Amino acid sequence: MTEATQTVRRASSEDFRAAMARFAAGVVVVTTLGGDGIPRGFTASSFCSVSAHPPLILVCLANSADSYTAFASCDRFAVSVLSPEHQPLAQRFATKGADKFASGGLSRTLGGLPAVAGALVELDCETHARHPAGDHTVLIGRVAATRLGENTRTPMVYYDRSFRLLA
C-alpha cells in the first residue's frame, strides 16, 4: 500500500472568512470610556471565558476599529451579551463611523460604564492584558462584577455573516 501525497495550501483571507462564517457564535457589545470621557464601543462575536480562578474573559478587537485607540489604553471595559431584540443595536455598534451612543437602548453597569439595557449578561471588567494577534488585538478582562438579566431569553448568534435566532 502506498501513502497518498497531499498538497496543503495556505488558506486565503476569503477562504478563512468563509470557513469561520460556518461557526455560530454569540454576540456581544463591548464598551468603555475613552481618556476624554467619551463612550466607545464595538460589536464582537469573538468572545469567550478564559479562566474561572481568576475570572477572565477575552474579546477580540479589530485594529482598524473606530474605538481601537480607546481600548488600547483603557483600564476597564464592559461586555453586554445580546439577545435577538438587540439586533439593531448590534448592527449600529458594528458600523464603522456610526454614532453608536446617539440613540437609546443603553444603560450603565454597576461600575458606571456604558452597557446595553436589558442585556442577558453584563460584565464589568478590569483590563488584565492585551495581546497583538494579526489584524486584531486580544483583550483579556478580569471580571470584577456581573449582572444577570431578569429574563432568561435566547441569545443572539452570528452565523453565515448574519445575526440569527436559536430554534
Side-chain angles (χ1 to χ4, degrees):
M1 181 148 59
T2 63
E3 200 171 300
T5 303
Q6 293 183 349
T7 302
V8 178
R9 68 178 175 94
R10 291 199 182 270
S12 68
S13 293
E14 294 79 29
D15 292 341
F16 180 70
R17 289 202 326 239
M20 291 297 92
R22 301 270 174 100
F23 180 72
V27 181
V28 299
V29 164
V30 185
T31 52
T32 193
L33 294 173
D36 53 8
I38 296 174
R40 304 283 184 210
F42 63 96
T43 299
S45 58
S46 295
F47 165 76
C48 69
S49 64
V50 174
S51 168
H53 302 287
L56 299 175
I57 56 91
L58 75 73
V59 63
C60 297
L61 167 66
N63 295 343
S64 61
D66 292 340
S67 58
Y68 174 80
T69 302
F71 284 94
S73 61
C74 70
D75 293 331
R76 300 179 313 126
F77 61 92
V79 177
S80 300
V81 178
L82 305 185
S83 64
E85 71 189 48
H86 297 115
Q87 182 173 339
L89 199 132
Q91 289 173 320
R92 187 170 79 213
F93 273 79
T95 303
K96 196 167 179 79
D99 187 352
K100 298 169 181 168
F101 295 88
S103 299
L106 301 169
S107 63
R108 294 281 178 171
T109 66
L110 295 172
L113 292 171
V116 174
L120 296 175
V121 173
E122 274 178 17
L123 302 174
D124 257 308
C125 299
E126 299 164 355
T127 302
H128 180 75
R130 291 178 186 85
H131 301 284
D135 60 359
H136 279 64
T137 296
V138 179
L139 293 171
I140 308 285
R142 182 181 176 123
V143 179
T146 63
R147 185 199 57 80
L148 300 179
E150 293 178 18
N151 297 318
T152 322
R153 298 178 303 252
T154 186
M156 184 188 321
V157 296
Y158 192 71
Y159 177 77
D160 199 18
R161 299 183 177 111
S162 296
F163 295 115
R164 307 284 180 126
L165 305 174
L166 290 178

